[in-house]
Amino acid sequence: MSLSKRVSNWFSERLGLNDLPFFKTPDYMYHVNEWLGALVAASFIYTVISGLILLLYYNAAAGYQSTETIINQIPYGSVVLYSHLYGSYAMIILAYVHMFRNYFAGAYKKPRELLWILGVLMLVLTLGASFLGYSLIGDALAVSAVDVGAGIITSIPQLSFLIPIIFGNYDTGDYTRVLALHIILVALIGLLFVFHFFLAESYGMMPSRKVKPKAPAVYTKEEWSKFNPWWPRNFVYMSSLIFMTWGFILAIPNALAYLNGLPQYFNPFMNPKPAPPPNSPAAAHITTYPPWFFLFLYKIADFTSDVVVFLMIGVIIPLVYLIILPFIDRSDELHPLRRKVFTGIGILMITYLIQTSLWGDLAPGVEVSVKDQVVAYLIPAIIVALGLTFIKPMNDQMKLTRGISPMTGILFVIVSLLFAGSVVQLIDYPNLFTFAITAFMGSLFFLGSKTMGKLVLSQRIPNNAVPEVKTAEVSASNETKKKFAEILMSVLFILVVIIVAQMWTIPPTGYASNLFGVDLGLVFLMLGEVISLYHYVVYKKPIEKEE
Amino acid sequence: MGLKIRLGNGERRVLKSSDLYFIQKLLKTMRNPKTRFDSREFLEKGQDYLFNYVGKNVGGIDEGRRNFLKGIVIGVAAATVVGVIPGLRVLVPPVEQVSGFPKSLLLDSSGNPLKASSIPVNSPIITLYEYPLTGEPNFLLNLGDKNGNPVSISPVEVVVPQTGKTYKFPGGVGPNNSIVSYSAICQHLGCTPPYIHFYPPNYVGPSQLTAPEPDTLTAQALLAAKQADIPALIHCDCHGSTYDPYKGGAVLTGPTQRPLPTVLLEYDSSTDYLYAIGALGVATYPEGADGVPSQDPTKDLDTSQYGSSVGDKTQVQASTNPFSGS
């Protein structure tokens, strides 16, 4: 027995890795789609670690100054700070993706209701922690965001007792409360995560709709005990996902740190640097807007002057809806097209979230008349309603859909965005020209959505459609791919060594120091990729049945 | 190893060791009741079944290849760890080593250079500036007599009661040689203003005996001032240490055992500006010099690493007047 095998066995025996009560995974589930929660957890863990490092330096009595000190004087402080920010961004985005994926998959249904509710609560906590974390910078935007937040609370007289509880002596530049609550909320997320995780493990990942088309969709103990054990395959696959997530979190903000002079409307999405301090002359020249994940709320605040109505539309109704969802959608159907009302609401929630956020970005603080609101929100609703009425759930055996290449996917996204943009233009400037463009984009969008719809709404190619005779061929091409993967791994190894050698020469502070973050991000990405390729070569079977 | 066959003179390999390993593994799998090879199905479907079976149960991966791949993964992981190492410097707080005293121009509270002739004589307001490090406050005093006229402060030998050693105080600077500067950290237990501060002549009297903190003079201090024949003094309310600002911050009464360190000032008569250029007295820097007077006031910061240098400018802050309440 080789040494590595002995070491590995030693650990798996001591830690009882093979007896872990974790869900065993069937072959076909090694797909990012099934591991979105792991991505959220990876960004959570990254953000916690980087946050603890920042905690060593952050001084709540002087928020802005200590932020500046961290960026300018602490070795690689800006790398940690920017990636902490983007770690939380990644967590928010991935949490939404994770949530909506499970929404459309019907994963909130029996027996996973509690899992779903815990998840929704964690989303709320995440947004709350992000708001407080954002405020800790103490720049002009943070102070204005807090003022808006505090203003919302104050305008409901019964809630104004919360102001000192949440913000303490914020006005005098004391962020002690904000920092403490930031950490408290994150600790709560961690606590709920433990429950969320173990519940998920005990129910197991949700089987493919092909296998269990109705709720409750769970594998029986006998079924899943035959699947791949947690160690080593799941572990290998999971590490590749974690490292890749970390790679993006590190590489993107540190690369963006070199962008300068972005147009205003890119700032909330792409700028990892703090704005000027609130008491500086420069602060007078910036438009204040909240962080991107609250842009939608910011825009909704322009709809009405009544704070209660605002909170209802922006926070309470969507939240209550999501929490009680498992109890109002009581059918055992998992196919999105067999529960069209909920699918429609889900699509509209995503559409509205993106639409309102972009609106808030492009026209921050501009009041919106009721007529404009109706136009802006009715059109997507009508499109979705009509679309869902006419699309029928496809029979599993009826038709084979060919996969759509990523390129087509991107093209479709661009067409959709252009279509959305042209609709906005048409509303703003209703003339023949804009109408023609909208009609053109609309028809492209219609054609695209017809093709995409087939892919998105149908299920994957049924296995029995592939004749067994072809398997030899399949496995042969599989072998070529695996050879290619091995070569790629060697190339990546060489690249990593070169980058790492270069990383040692990067100065810890100053202009060049963010290159360290970019490089470290690339190294993590490549580590994740190498592990993923290893997983592919070693574990991937020529045919992975959905059983 | 491997299997070889002799053909005439040459040897030829027919099977590599990895092939043998593969065959062994395949046979084992075929015999295994869980993954038994179905010969009947094989007859029916031919080689496709065999390929399928092998791909599914044995896999195309031999041990050597797998180890090579593992090696690459471990290599990349190790390289990543090596890459993270310089990043760990984030855990080491940046330390600004201060070696030697900077020459700092004193600025007034609005940021302009401070005019020496504008400093009020015998002002009860605690006027402080940080030097040589941030967080190290010093008094800036323009000393006068009972009537508020500036007094020329002459050089004097200062005794350190703790060790009995002496050092030379260079005297006052400014247009009237009346401006002096001392550390505002009491040499007894480190009290800072407002507990230690300057008492102008009109506050050095019996009425201060009952004044509330931080303005209480001790009877001992009053007596010492009378004996030394000085109109004003520096007194620390914490434990009653008294210093003589006219004689280099020398000890008037205990419990302190050391005089207040002097900040060396340089006066530029053409511009009326003041510069702080060094410190003198019992060495506050380096720490722990225990009352031994500094020999070279420009080089004593070598081991000081807490706080950052104030640099070439330092701002004077006229803070509270402790007497305004009384």
Side-chain angles (χ1 to χ4, degrees):
Chain A
M1 211 171 0
S2 72
L3 181 68
S4 70
K5 190 133 208 159
R6 288 218 311 267
V7 172
S8 145
N9 283 351
W10 191 88
F11 274 106
S12 56
E13 253 175 54
R14 298 302 175 286
L15 298 172
L17 291 178
N18 290 321
D19 314 322
L20 284 178
F22 293 154
F23 180 67
K24 296 186 172 181
T25 316
D27 291 338
Y28 72 91
M29 278 193 191
Y30 292 97
H31 232 268
V32 174
N33 207 8
E34 310 279 346
W35 292 75
L36 291 167
L39 300 188
V40 185
S43 41
F44 176 68
I45 291 166
Y46 183 88
T47 314
V48 167
I49 293 173
S50 56
L52 290 175
I53 294 174
L54 292 175
L55 192 59
L56 294 174
Y57 294 109
Y58 182 76
N59 172 13
Y64 189 79
Q65 288 91 317
S66 60
T67 306
E68 285 291 302
T69 309
I70 288 170
I71 291 173
N72 296 319
Q73 270 147 45
I74 307 297
Y76 303 120
S78 57
V79 174
V80 178
L81 184 68
Y82 296 164
S83 58
H84 181 71
L85 176 71
Y86 268 65
S88 63
Y89 284 4
M91 191 176 157
I92 296 169
I93 297 171
L94 291 169
Y96 274 127
V97 173
H98 178 51
M99 181 179 87
F100 279 115
R101 187 263 171 196
N102 287 329
Y103 182 97
F104 292 118
Y108 52 82
K109 295 194 176 223
K110 195 182 168 193
R112 296 184 175 81
E113 298 98 329
L114 190 57
L115 192 60
W116 170 264
I117 293 170
L118 279 176
V120 175
L121 293 181
M122 283 159 78
L123 178 72
V124 175
L125 287 175
T126 305
L127 289 176
S130 307
F131 175 73
L132 292 169
Y134 179 86
S135 309
L136 283 172
I137 308 168
D139 60 0
L141 301 184
V143 171
S144 118
V146 170
D147 286 346
V148 172
I152 291 170
I153 300 175
T154 326
S155 50
I156 305 169
Q158 292 81 4
L159 290 184
S160 45
F161 72 96
L162 284 173
I163 297 279
I165 294 180
I166 299 174
F167 298 119
N169 274 331
Y170 191 90
D171 289 340
T172 60
D174 180 3
Y175 300 83
T176 318
R177 279 262 163 181
V178 185
L179 175 66
L181 278 173
H182 179 64
I183 297 169
I184 289 170
L185 288 197
V186 173
L188 274 178
I189 297 172
L191 188 71
L192 290 191
F193 169 70
V194 172
F195 284 111
H196 192 78
F197 176 76
F198 280 102
L199 275 183
E201 287 294 335
S202 72
Y203 302 138
M205 286 154 119
M206 203 163 116
S208 152
R209 237 184 352 258
K210 254 189 72 60
V211 187
K212 312 263 174 187
K214 302 259 166 152
V218 276
Y219 280 115
T220 59
K221 185 101 184 162
E222 293 80 57
E223 281 172 302
W224 70 255
S225 56
K226 280 182 284 178
F227 297 153
N228 300 298
W230 186 82
W231 175 268
R233 188 173 176 186
N234 274 13
F235 181 80
V236 167
Y237 189 73
M238 193 176 64
S239 351
S240 81
L241 291 178
I242 290 175
F243 288 128
M244 280 202 239
T245 311
W246 290 5
F248 281 117
I249 290 174
L250 270 159
I252 293 175
N254 283 295
L256 289 178
Y258 289 104
L259 281 184
N260 272 320
L262 288 175
Q264 161 90 44
Y265 47 86
F266 280 141
N267 257 332
F269 303 102
M270 301 181 79
N271 191 0
K273 294 174 198 164
N279 50 4
S280 80
H285 300 292
I286 54 171
T287 318
T288 51
Y289 43 74
W292 62 264
F293 46 86
F294 278 136
L295 275 174
F296 78 98
L297 269 184
Y298 191 57
K299 195 61 208 173
I300 294 173
D302 296 334
F303 294 172
T304 165
S305 53
D306 189 331
V307 177
V308 178
V309 174
F310 156 72
L311 282 180
M312 279 303 213
I313 303 173
V315 185
I316 296 167
I317 292 176
L319 199 60
V320 168
Y321 168 72
L322 286 176
I323 287 179
I324 63 170
L325 175 67
F327 309 107
I328 49 176
D329 182 7
R330 302 189 65 95
S331 73
D332 58 359
E333 293 291 352
L334 292 176
H335 196 292
L337 287 180
R338 291 208 171 88
R339 42 192 179 98
K340 285 185 176 173
V341 173
F342 299 99
T343 306
I345 296 177
I347 295 174
L348 281 179
M349 280 177 107
I350 298 178
T351 316
Y352 288 163
L353 189 63
I354 296 174
Q355 183 189 4
T356 319
S357 297
L358 290 177
W359 200 356
D361 181 44
L362 295 172
V366 180
E367 284 198 20
V368 182
S369 69
V370 177
K371 189 194 119 211
D372 286 349
Q373 293 170 32
V374 171
V375 171
Y377 292 97
L378 201 58
I379 290 176
I382 293 172
I383 294 175
V384 168
L386 285 179
L388 282 174
T389 319
F390 292 114
I391 300 175
K392 288 204 170 56
M394 229 173 300
N395 194 327
D396 292 345
Q397 314 294 340
M398 203 172 75
K399 201 171 171 185
L400 286 181
T401 12
R402 283 191 35 237
I404 282 179
S405 73
M407 222 31 186
T408 327
I410 291 169
L411 265 178
F412 179 67
V413 170
I414 293 171
V415 166
S416 322
L417 288 175
L418 284 174
F419 177 50
S422 61
V423 168
V424 173
Q425 284 295 310
L426 179 65
I427 295 162
D428 279 356
Y429 312 101
N431 59 34
L432 203 64
F433 179 64
T434 47
F435 177 76
I437 290 182
T438 312
F440 175 67
M441 289 299 168
S443 49
L444 276 188
F445 176 75
F446 177 72
L447 289 177
S449 52
K450 242 178 104 177
T451 341
M452 296 295 287
K454 271 182 213 155
L455 178 82
V456 177
L457 301 172
S458 72
Q459 285 132 23
R460 268 199 252 128
I461 308 159
N463 262 317
N464 50 12
V466 182
E468 194 78 358
V469 192
K470 276 192 181 168
T471 46
E473 207 177 301
V474 166
S475 88
S477 82
N478 221 36
E479 274 306 299
T480 334
K481 278 188 191 163
K482 286 183 176 182
K483 280 262 157 55
F484 180 68
E486 284 172 36
I487 297 168
L488 203 58
M489 283 172 78
S490 314
V491 173
L492 285 175
F493 178 51
I494 296 166
L495 269 179
V496 164
V497 170
I498 293 172
I499 291 183
V500 163
Q502 190 252 329
M503 275 164 76
W504 277 70
T505 64
I506 296 175
T509 52
Y511 184 74
S513 67
N514 287 109
L515 279 179
F516 185 83
V518 177
D519 281 354
L520 190 61
L522 290 177
V523 167
F524 271 128
L525 272 178
M526 290 194 263
L527 174 62
E529 185 56 36
V530 163
I531 296 177
S532 161
L533 289 171
Y534 176 82
H535 172 264
Y536 181 81
V537 176
V538 173
Y539 296 110
K540 182 88 176 168
K541 294 172 189 167
I543 287 175
E544 309 205 314
K545 267 199 228 154
E546 299 193 0
E547 56 188 346
Chain B
M1 274 267 298
L3 211 63
K4 288 170 190 161
I5 193 163
R6 190 177 286 276
L7 270 179
N9 292 330
E11 267 188 353
R12 244 181 105 174
R13 266 170 100 143
V14 272
L15 279 174
K16 283 186 281 180
S17 45
S18 58
D19 298 337
L20 282 175
Y21 176 81
F22 176 78
I23 291 172
Q24 186 198 358
K25 196 174 167 192
L26 178 61
L27 289 176
K28 218 167 143 190
T29 320
M30 287 169 105
R31 267 186 244 118
N32 188 338
K34 260 193 202 161
T35 54
R36 182 176 283 284
F37 187 75
D38 193 338
S39 43
R40 222 174 291 165
E41 209 169 334
F42 176 53
L43 284 176
E44 247 171 63
K45 291 181 181 167
Q47 64 180 28
D48 289 332
Y49 173 73
L50 179 65
F51 285 152
N52 211 12
Y53 176 85
V54 170
K56 203 166 159 190
N57 295 306
V58 189
I61 308 288
D62 62 59
E63 202 66 3
R65 194 169 156 204
R66 191 189 285 247
N67 280 339
F68 169 72
L69 296 179
K70 263 188 195 165
I72 287 186
V73 171
I74 293 169
V76 174
T80 309
V81 171
V82 172
V84 170
I85 289 173
L88 293 181
R89 264 185 279 179
V90 72
L91 299 176
V92 184
V95 166
E96 208 174 321
Q97 280 271 359
V98 183
S99 58
F101 291 87
K103 179 174 178 176
S104 297
L105 173 65
L106 300 195
L107 306 176
D108 64 19
S109 51
S110 54
N112 302 314
L114 180 75
K115 301 270 187 190
S117 47
S118 71
I119 303 173
V121 179
N122 280 347
S123 170
I125 294 167
I126 302 172
T127 308
L128 298 172
Y129 64 94
E130 294 180 323
Y131 183 85
L133 304 176
T134 52
E136 308 271 11
N138 302 284
F139 293 120
L140 185 65
L141 305 170
N142 194 355
L143 297 175
D145 59 17
K146 269 191 179 117
N147 308 317
N149 300 316
V151 174
S152 173
I153 309 295
S154 37
V156 70
E157 203 74 14
V158 181
V159 183
V160 182
Q162 185 178 21
T163 54
K165 300 201 172 178
T166 61
Y167 62 93
K168 180 121 176 147
F169 169 72
V173 296
N176 305 305
N177 288 331
S178 59
I179 299 169
V180 292
S181 178
Y182 303 109
S183 164
I185 303 170
C186 181
Q187 286 290 307
H188 172 228
L189 282 176
C191 286
T192 50
Y195 295 102
I196 179 170
H197 65 96
F198 178 69
Y199 286 69
N202 50 330
Y203 289 104
V204 183
S207 61
Q208 290 309 117
L209 291 173
T210 53
E213 275 192 27
D215 297 330
T216 328
L217 275 180
T218 57
Q220 217 189 343
L222 277 178
L223 181 67
K226 200 167 191 178
Q227 282 169 351
D229 191 24
I230 46 167
L233 47 80
I234 292 173
H235 181 78
C236 179
D237 242 27
C238 291
H239 307 96
S241 301
T242 319
Y243 304 90
D244 183 349
Y246 298 86
K247 301 245 164 49
V251 177
L252 280 177
T253 74
T256 181
Q257 290 283 303
R258 314 181 204 176
L260 277 183
T262 302
V263 175
L264 292 175
L265 294 177
E266 187 180 283
Y267 175 61
D268 183 345
S269 55
S270 59
T271 54
D272 202 24
Y273 295 169
L274 287 169
Y275 297 88
I277 54 170
L280 188 62
V282 290
T284 322
Y285 329 97
E287 281 186 20
D290 278 348
V292 180
S294 158
Q295 299 305 314
D296 184 355
T298 58
K299 284 223 174 108
D300 272 349
L301 282 176
D302 284 353
T303 57
S304 181
Q305 42 177 249
Y306 303 97
S308 51
S309 170
V310 294
D312 60 356
K313 277 171 192 149
T314 180
Q315 203 158 39
V316 169
Q317 280 144 10
S319 64
T320 50
N321 177 358
F323 301 106
S324 57
S326 56

